[in-house]
Amino acid sequence: MRRALAVLVVALALPAAAGAQPGVGVKAKTGKGLYAGYCLSCHGVDGSGVISTSHPKGVLDLRGLGPPLRGVGAQAADFYLTTGYMPLADPHDQPRHTKSPFDKQEIAALVAYVASLGKGPKVPRPQPRLGDLSQGQSLFTEHCAGCHQIVAEGGYVTNAVAPPLHQATPVQIAEAVRIGPYLMPKFPVSQISDAQLNSIIAYVQWAKHPDDPGGWSIGRIGPVPEGLVAWLIGAAALVGCCLLIGRRFQR
Amino acid sequence: MIRAIVRYVDERSGTAPFLKRALRYVFPDHWSFLLGEVALYAFVILVGTGIYLTLFFEPSTAQTYYTGHYLPLRGHQMSVAYRSGVDLSFKVRAGLLMRQTHHWAADVFVAAIVLHMLRIFFTGAYRKPRDLTYYIGLTMLILALLEGYLGYSIVDDLLSGMGLAIGYSVLMSIPFVGGNLAMLLWGGPFPGTSAFESRMYIAHVFLFPILIATLLGLHLFLVAARHHTQFRESRRTTEKKVVGIPTFPGQAPRSLGLFFAVAAVLFLLGGLVQINPIWLWGPYHVAQGTNGAQPDWYLGWLIGALRLVPNFDVTIGHYTLVPNPFWGGALFPLVVFMLLYLAPSLERRFTGEYGFRNVLDRPRDAPWRTALGAALFTWVFVIFFAGASDRIFVSFGVSYEAQIWAFRVLAVVAPFVALLATYRLCLALQESDRLDRIRRRAEAEARGEMPQPE
Amino acid sequence: MSAFRKWAIAFGVLLLGRKKRQPRVVDRPRIVPPGEPDPRAEWLVLLLLLLAAAAAVGFIVVYSFNHLAHQTQYLGLALGLALAFVAVALIVVGKRLVVTEELEEDYSLPHSTAQEELQQLVDESGDRFTRKRLLLAGGTAAAGAIGAALVVPALSLGPLFDTGALYETPWRRGVRLVDEHGKPLLLDEIERETFYTAYAQGADKELLGAPVVVVRFEPSQLHLPAARRDWAPGGVVAYSKICTHAGCAIALFRKPTFPVVEPGPALICPCHYSTFDPTRAAKVIFGPAGRPLPQLPLAVDANGVLRAAGNFSGPVGPAWSGVRSKPPRNPS
């Protein structure tokens, strides 16, 4: 019986699974239906995961690859969906911040569905107002700056990018710290308490609009843009002055 | 009134004849001859703003806690040096303007020296009798690179602290003696004794400026003593006669104007464009790091080299003969500067010209020199560009690993391509010049004029 | 007319009056050729100079504020503009108000006569010497030795001949691992899929040998060499946090969520991206580092606290000639 149901669900999703893009032509509105249309081909039936494309074969013809979602809870689903990390067209790509194809209700439905697949963490409710900016700076420097750069401008990690955090909401930051999405470490409460997390989020929020008393901030990543300005503005202006003052070739 | 001043000065120093000669001294006035002056004026601004900064900066690694207004650093432990840098930026009125102008001046100073050096090289101005002037200039370039590195390192922020660790590693990597030299300079293993900050400080505010100023004086004296070179642009310019504008009244307002222009650009940058916001980086700690750490632009060629060299140490049994950073951090700049220093003598050897040369070449008229110079420049530039590949990846998505491989290949191939392409370009330009001359001679003859001797 | 008005008018006439071209007393030919006046240029220069003055006054006014938003920008703009106006004024003077002459001068030739005379001067001065070479040798000995003597105090800068300190770390058997606040690390508190920074208890945190990065794996995931099988209690490993390439802190940790498609766990340095595999004794898998991170052997004491079971597997930090010759040791 269960197998027949699975076949039915997958058959509904076959048009999607056959195409490269997840979710082409899906008209479902329920969490389960959306899951079938957008997620099933990689995350498997009931979130059991697909860890090998060679097995199973046959009518299901699953071609995606994805980790199991049982027990990841609403926290992970909310994070990956609100950031647009998921759905991911190619499981070998790094998930990136994109515009989600879902609207708010659809995301809520999917989150509820994934949460139902097993007991897992809820969507966190951080309170950055209670955080301390100074403590946040030290914690961010110690745990996060190595990948995300000291003011969250993003950075390179071997074979991946640690994204800039300009668009991250406090909830997403809290979720990411606890989930460790993609290649990011997963920081437990014993390492970064909820109070410390509030401080980190307060710092990230501040880092989106620091004061910049020096003027045009040119990216806040230091010497690379500074060198560009020194040459393309400073040196260029002065060479221009030289051209104005001196003579040119008079052939 | 002028008469009174002149009489006063000449009665006490006897310099009126010298001044008359000096004020009527002739300078050819091509725009590219002003690039050296731009560097000179940037140096003046550096010294002026630098003196101001020394009145506030405290070069001490004693530990203190930040109690100022800048919230993210409240209560943080840091060195007194770093704290005085933050205070200069936030508490001292006009302090941030002076700090930023000083740093922009340093970046523009080295840029101007590089442009000036390129002009000297590609026009052959370094030939006898000006090769000594050229060696002095190259030495000043090296000193400027080190001076800048020291300057931003004394502030003890996270970014520059990481840079100091790298400098230490490059010194350590010198075969046989590296470890010894590093221990001597730092007073022990990194981060070294607290006296290391004092050493950097006194080198930056006194030793190097004195060295640079002395060499600068010698450099300018030699330029004046031998007269400036000139392009062959009219019948009158020859190896024997220099044609140009006298210092006074002609050049004086122009040069003075250029000085004010340099000062204006630097102060405008210093006030309007943020540079080295040390308060964002935080203080340096050995166990901390941030992504995207880079040295100032003029050391970008070294970080590129360090990243491109594949991972190997050269060992003989248990003896580590050549640690990895040596190739990119020490040997590469050594080779580049060695080639630059050897350029005048190599050129003499290969062209057989041992006499004085006062007339400049247009780059196209010396195809080998131009092509070889372009090749060397391309080699350095490709490696320099590779140094920013992580930011290129973050901003534009081009795979870092792919870039590293691409740049490794380009670093070998591109100089040869540049050599051949530039050589061909020079010959093509020479050809078009020749055709131009023929055409103009034909037109002059058609008009019934005497053809101009070339 | 009041005295004040008289003075004011006189002052105005003095400043604004045009100089009449007076015939010079001709006893010498002109040095600088004559040129036509350019009144419009003069007014332009005057305007620029007044603008420069105004901008400079603006600078002083902005400076006088105790606190002003964007003060640095206004200061820079004011001073920059003042200098820029003067620059433009001078350029106008140079191009339109001062005669541009084109003069000729001779390039100087080699002074063969003077050179020969100098040579002669030195030669003849040495006529009274009979043992020039011996004295020269003596002079060289004296200069060399005095030079060496003057340079020798530079040895006080640091230990030039003894690089033993490069082998020193504060770790030995029994030293506890503590976090940055001094709290000891408990084995049970170390979770997988994240990374921790720890220090040697009681040591200066700013020593290269002090910080370690601690990571936990399932024991089955670890592939350590046979000699290090018991260095990882519970699958917890510790490596020096200082990169063996150029000394930056290993501040990145890569943890795969889905190892089927994602790269494996790695400790990475942000300077040149040397990448080390913590499951394989920090072997270098990418980037320019020439040797793996030194590993710290760990043990757990009766209270569950993580302690070092010895010193690192090799000296910490960037390489020098002796980095592979001797094992690390403690300060004496």
Side-chain angles (χ1 to χ4, degrees):
Chain A
M1 178 58 198
R2 207 178 277 174
R3 196 152 182 275
L5 198 63
V7 169
L8 181 66
V9 164
V10 174
L12 283 172
L14 259 178
Q21 282 294 332
V24 172
V26 171
K27 291 195 167 46
K29 281 291 168 201
T30 64
K32 191 163 180 167
L34 288 165
Y35 180 88
Y38 288 89
C39 323
L40 187 83
S41 57
C42 288
H43 288 290
V45 177
D46 289 344
S48 52
V50 178
I51 60 168
S52 165
T53 47
S54 63
H55 171 82
K57 269 261 162 75
V59 66
L60 298 183
D61 193 24
L62 298 167
R63 280 198 279 144
L65 282 171
L69 299 180
R70 296 207 179 123
V72 298
Q75 176 176 266
D78 182 68
F79 175 77
Y80 280 98
L81 291 169
T82 55
T83 53
Y85 275 25
M86 291 291 150
L88 184 64
D90 185 342
H92 297 279
D93 285 344
Q94 169 166 6
R96 302 298 292 265
H97 212 287
T98 54
K99 188 156 167 12
S100 174
F102 305 121
D103 62 31
K104 272 206 171 139
Q105 290 98 317
E106 288 169 328
I107 290 180
L110 271 169
V111 168
Y113 177 70
V114 171
S116 74
L117 292 175
K119 196 157 164 34
K122 297 201 286 277
V123 174
R125 294 204 188 300
Q127 292 171 293
R129 295 252 174 86
L130 300 179
D132 175 62
L133 193 55
S134 166
Q135 188 195 37
Q137 200 276 357
S138 338
L139 290 166
F140 191 86
T141 307
E142 187 187 334
H143 298 294
C144 323
C147 292
H148 285 285
Q149 201 261 350
I150 190 81
V151 277
E153 297 288 344
Y156 169 65
V157 175
T158 313
N159 300 130
V161 65
L165 301 179
H166 307 134
Q167 297 170 290
T169 67
V171 172
Q172 286 168 344
I173 300 168
E175 289 169 337
V177 168
R178 296 292 181 222
I179 300 168
Y182 194 58
L183 293 172
M184 180 169 152
K186 181 173 158 170
F187 298 96
V189 175
S190 60
Q191 188 178 16
I192 298 180
S193 68
D194 284 337
Q196 290 175 321
L197 185 51
N198 285 336
S199 295
I200 291 180
I201 296 170
Y203 177 76
V204 174
Q205 295 292 88
W206 172 86
K208 292 176 185 174
H209 306 286
D211 278 328
D212 296 328
W216 180 26
S217 69
I218 57 173
R220 300 184 201 103
I221 55 171
V224 170
E226 289 165 9
L228 285 170
V229 167
W231 276 93
L232 300 178
I233 297 183
L238 291 173
V239 169
C241 289
C242 292
L243 284 163
L244 189 65
I245 293 173
R247 207 166 37 80
R248 320 219 192 157
F249 279 122
Q250 286 168 356
R251 272 276 165 95
Chain B
M1 195 176 76
I2 305 281
R3 195 179 180 77
I5 298 176
V6 170
R7 186 165 20 164
Y8 184 93
V9 169
D10 184 52
E11 279 175 2
R12 282 142 190 81
S13 67
T15 51
F18 166 76
L19 281 171
K20 188 189 169 283
R21 264 200 69 204
L23 289 178
R24 298 303 283 170
Y25 205 70
V26 162
F27 283 101
D29 73 335
H30 193 261
W31 69 269
S32 68
F33 299 168
L34 293 168
L35 294 170
E37 274 185 58
V38 171
L40 168 68
Y41 299 142
F43 182 68
V44 171
I45 302 295
L46 276 171
V47 172
T49 51
I51 290 175
Y52 185 84
L53 294 174
T54 58
L55 300 173
F56 297 95
F57 181 72
E58 298 172 68
S60 160
T61 52
Q63 295 295 297
T64 178
Y65 292 90
Y66 183 73
T67 52
H69 286 303
Y70 180 66
L71 290 178
L73 292 177
R74 262 280 178 78
H76 287 211
Q77 188 181 7
M78 56 185 61
S79 61
V80 166
Y82 180 75
R83 199 209 59 211
S84 75
V86 175
D87 285 345
L88 250 176
S89 310
F90 291 143
K91 263 169 63 173
V92 175
R93 220 181 290 178
L96 187 58
L97 175 69
M98 294 299 172
R99 248 201 77 222
Q100 298 200 148
T101 304
H102 189 74
H103 204 134
W104 283 120
D107 278 358
V108 169
F109 176 52
V110 183
I113 294 179
V114 169
L115 285 172
H116 173 62
M117 179 187 77
L118 290 175
R119 197 285 288 173
I120 296 295
F121 184 91
F122 285 112
T123 56
Y126 58 68
R127 288 173 296 180
K128 206 160 96 166
R130 294 173 185 84
D131 44 359
L132 183 61
T133 319
Y134 171 72
Y135 298 143
I136 293 174
L138 280 179
T139 311
M140 284 197 286
L141 175 58
I142 296 174
L143 289 174
L145 297 182
L146 290 170
E147 174 75 344
Y149 180 58
L150 286 172
Y152 68 76
S153 299
I154 53 179
V155 189
D156 195 34
D157 58 277
L158 183 57
L159 233 62
S160 64
M162 290 165 75
L164 272 180
I166 297 173
Y168 169 82
S169 311
V170 168
L171 191 57
M172 289 263 277
S173 74
I174 296 177
F176 306 113
V177 295
N180 308 76
L181 288 175
M183 292 277 271
L184 183 73
L185 205 56
W186 263 265
F190 189 85
T193 160
S194 54
F196 183 68
E197 173 78 13
S198 304
R199 291 170 198 178
M200 285 199 290
Y201 182 70
I202 206 63
H204 179 76
V205 309
F206 181 67
L207 295 173
F208 276 64
I210 293 276
L211 272 172
I212 294 175
T214 310
L215 289 176
L216 192 57
L218 205 54
H219 190 81
L220 293 174
F221 167 73
L222 287 174
V223 171
R226 294 279 92 188
H227 266 104
H228 201 282
T229 51
Q230 59 185 346
F231 288 105
R232 188 192 307 282
E233 286 189 287
S234 76
R235 236 178 332 147
R236 294 190 292 156
T237 66
T238 63
E239 289 286 352
K240 300 226 171 59
K241 281 210 178 303
V242 55
V243 176
I245 298 181
T247 312
F248 196 86
Q251 289 283 12
R254 293 157 194 258
S255 293
L256 210 54
L258 187 59
F259 168 68
F260 277 93
V262 171
V265 167
L266 292 178
F267 275 102
L268 282 170
L269 283 174
L272 299 175
V273 188
Q274 189 163 276
I275 185 170
N276 199 26
I278 53 169
W279 54 89
L280 293 181
W281 314 144
Y284 176 65
H285 292 296
V286 144
Q288 283 179 352
T290 171
N291 208 306
Q294 291 267 350
D296 270 12
W297 81 262
Y298 42 82
L299 296 179
W301 55 316
L302 299 184
I303 188 177
L306 285 170
R307 285 181 179 179
L308 289 181
V309 175
N311 63 326
F312 66 97
D313 284 350
V314 176
T315 58
I316 303 180
H318 286 302
Y319 192 80
T320 306
L321 187 62
V322 188
N324 186 276
F326 176 74
W327 308 103
L331 188 62
F332 172 57
L334 192 69
V335 166
V336 171
F337 274 108
M338 202 183 61
L339 289 171
L340 287 172
Y341 273 106
L342 286 176
S345 39
L346 285 175
E347 179 164 330
R348 274 202 291 277
R349 177 79 65 82
F350 281 104
T351 60
E353 281 187 30
Y354 287 89
F356 280 28
R357 301 287 272 130
N358 294 315
V359 173
L360 296 169
D361 292 325
R362 293 186 82 187
R364 67 189 67 179
D365 293 326
W368 271 118
R369 181 201 304 136
T370 305
L372 285 167
L376 181 63
F377 180 80
T378 305
W379 188 43
V380 174
F381 187 74
V382 165
I383 295 175
F384 167 80
F385 206 68
S389 36
D390 60 319
R391 298 321 300 183
I392 293 174
F393 168 66
V394 175
S395 298
F396 303 113
V398 183
S399 149
Y400 180 84
E401 302 81 31
Q403 281 185 68
I404 293 297
W405 276 112
F407 282 118
R408 280 175 179 163
V409 169
L410 273 177
V412 175
V413 167
F416 287 106
V417 172
L419 181 75
L420 290 170
T422 312
Y423 190 75
R424 288 275 167 80
L425 183 64
C426 286
L427 294 183
L429 286 170
Q430 279 184 343
E431 184 63 22
S432 105
D433 276 351
R434 207 171 55 84
L435 294 172
D436 236 10
R437 278 200 297 273
I438 293 175
R439 184 178 52 79
R440 270 188 279 112
R441 187 172 297 174
E443 282 172 1
E445 280 178 5
R447 284 197 295 270
E449 292 164 11
M450 286 288 288
Q452 298 283 344
E454 288 300 326
Chain C
M1 208 190 282
S2 75
F4 173 72
R5 279 181 69 194
K6 273 201 217 142
W7 276 106
I9 293 173
F11 190 65
V13 169
L14 195 66
L15 262 189
L16 293 169
R18 277 222 134 88
K19 198 179 71 166
K20 268 200 291 236
R21 303 254 302 337
Q22 285 162 345
R24 280 191 179 74
V25 178
V26 180
D27 59 346
R28 227 189 333 274
R30 280 191 72 97
I31 302 174
V32 182
E36 281 307 306
D38 189 343
R40 287 179 63 193
E42 281 185 290
W43 283 116
L44 178 60
V45 169
L46 181 65
L47 174 69
L48 289 166
L49 291 173
L50 290 176
L51 284 173
V57 167
F59 176 88
I60 297 172
V61 166
V62 172
Y63 178 89
S64 65
F65 281 87
N66 194 15
H67 182 75
L68 183 67
H70 307 295
Q71 191 171 30
T72 304
Q73 282 74 73
Y74 292 128
L75 287 173
L77 201 59
L79 188 55
L81 281 177
L83 295 165
F85 285 133
V86 173
V88 178
L90 283 166
I91 293 173
V92 171
V93 166
K95 289 194 151 206
R96 302 240 285 255
L97 288 173
V98 153
V99 178
T100 304
E101 313 157 71
E102 217 177 57
L103 300 181
E104 280 174 28
E105 253 175 39
D106 285 322
Y107 276 113
S108 36
L109 296 164
H111 307 120
S112 28
T113 321
Q115 285 175 17
E116 280 163 17
E117 283 178 353
L118 277 172
Q119 169 97 26
Q120 197 183 346
L121 172 64
V122 174
D123 278 341
E124 288 170 1
S125 305
D127 270 349
R128 293 180 73 180
F129 287 92
T130 57
R131 294 182 196 275
K132 276 195 203 154
R133 268 196 289 254
L134 196 57
L135 285 170
L136 205 57
T140 311
I146 291 179
L150 288 174
V151 166
V152 149
L155 291 176
S156 309
L157 283 172
L160 177 68
F161 298 110
D162 176 18
T163 53
L166 290 170
Y167 294 102
E168 288 173 7
T169 83
W171 295 95
R172 70 165 81 80
R173 184 181 199 77
V175 171
R176 287 198 193 91
L177 279 76
V178 298
D179 68 9
E180 60 165 8
H181 302 293
K183 179 184 153 309
L185 258 60
L186 295 168
L187 177 73
D188 293 337
E189 282 180 344
I190 306 293
E191 299 204 25
R192 288 184 307 115
E193 301 191 301
T194 182
F195 71 124
Y196 301 82
T197 301
Y199 301 89
Q201 188 179 40
D204 176 8
K205 294 210 274 281
E206 299 299 323
L207 293 172
L208 283 188
V212 291
V213 58
V214 179
V215 212
R216 183 179 203 140
F217 295 98
E218 292 289 351
S220 56
Q221 289 174 296
L222 287 176
H223 303 279
L224 299 173
R228 300 188 195 178
R229 280 288 147 75
D230 51 359
W231 284 27
V236 177
V237 285
Y239 298 99
S240 164
K241 195 168 179 186
I242 303 301
C243 185
T244 51
H245 178 241
C248 303
I250 305 290
L252 291 74
F253 177 63
R254 190 177 74 184
K255 160 235 111 225
T257 300
F258 188 44
V260 175
V261 295
E262 292 171 21
L267 290 165
I268 308 168
C269 177
C271 283
H272 314 110
Y273 301 106
S274 294
T275 309
F276 306 89
D277 184 346
T279 63
R280 284 180 162 74
K283 182 173 126 153
V284 180
I285 56 178
F286 180 78
R291 83 192 165 100
L293 294 174
Q295 185 172 358
L296 186 72
L298 294 177
V300 188
D301 70 11
N303 300 322
V305 172
L306 277 172
R307 291 182 190 246
N311 209 326
F312 286 102
S313 59
V316 301
W320 77 102
S321 52
V323 76
R324 291 172 172 83
S325 327
K326 288 190 218 153
R329 57 164 206 257
N330 302 121
S332 33

